[in-house]
Amino acid sequence: MPDQTAFTTFVSLVDVVDETAQNAQEFASIWGDVERELEDVGVHVEESYAVLGAVDFLVIFEAEDPDAAFQASLILERHGFDTQTME
């Protein structure tokens, strides 16, 4: 039987804090880079939604473990997003 790693679903509440990401075209270009970096650390984005209210986006992703989810938060923050991530 092949070795299968169980992935856990996480959600991140994301606020855009970098002014350059406020522009829709710039955000789209940044988001492509972010998704590639997330894939590099073993994180797969399932869904992402722009939302109204206290946060700007809801990102749902799968990761092997909490360490990978933490790495995802660091990647998002490095690109100008403030995150709160939950399992």
Side-chain angles (χ1 to χ4, degrees):
M1 181 170 219
D3 182 29
Q4 293 181 333
T5 303
F7 283 78
T8 302
T9 301
F10 294 85
V11 296
S12 283
L13 304 176
V14 179
D15 281 323
V16 178
V17 293
D18 185 352
E19 290 180 14
T20 61
Q22 297 290 341
N23 174 310
Q25 289 176 333
E26 182 65 24
F27 177 80
S29 118
I30 290 170
W31 191 248
D33 293 339
V34 169
E35 283 194 297
R36 280 187 289 283
E37 287 184 44
L38 293 173
E39 290 287 338
D40 288 345
V41 297
V43 171
H44 175 72
V45 175
E46 293 289 323
E47 303 284 341
S48 59
Y49 301 97
V51 297
L52 299 174
V55 298
D56 297 313
F57 295 93
L58 171 69
V59 179
I60 302 168
F61 63 91
E62 290 188 340
E64 285 186 32
D65 54 37
D67 184 54
F70 177 72
Q71 292 296 320
S73 293
L74 292 177
I75 289 167
L76 289 167
E77 293 200 11
R78 189 171 57 244
H79 283 278
F81 304 106
D82 186 30
T83 66
Q84 179 182 3
T85 301
M86 298 155 275
E87 187 172 340

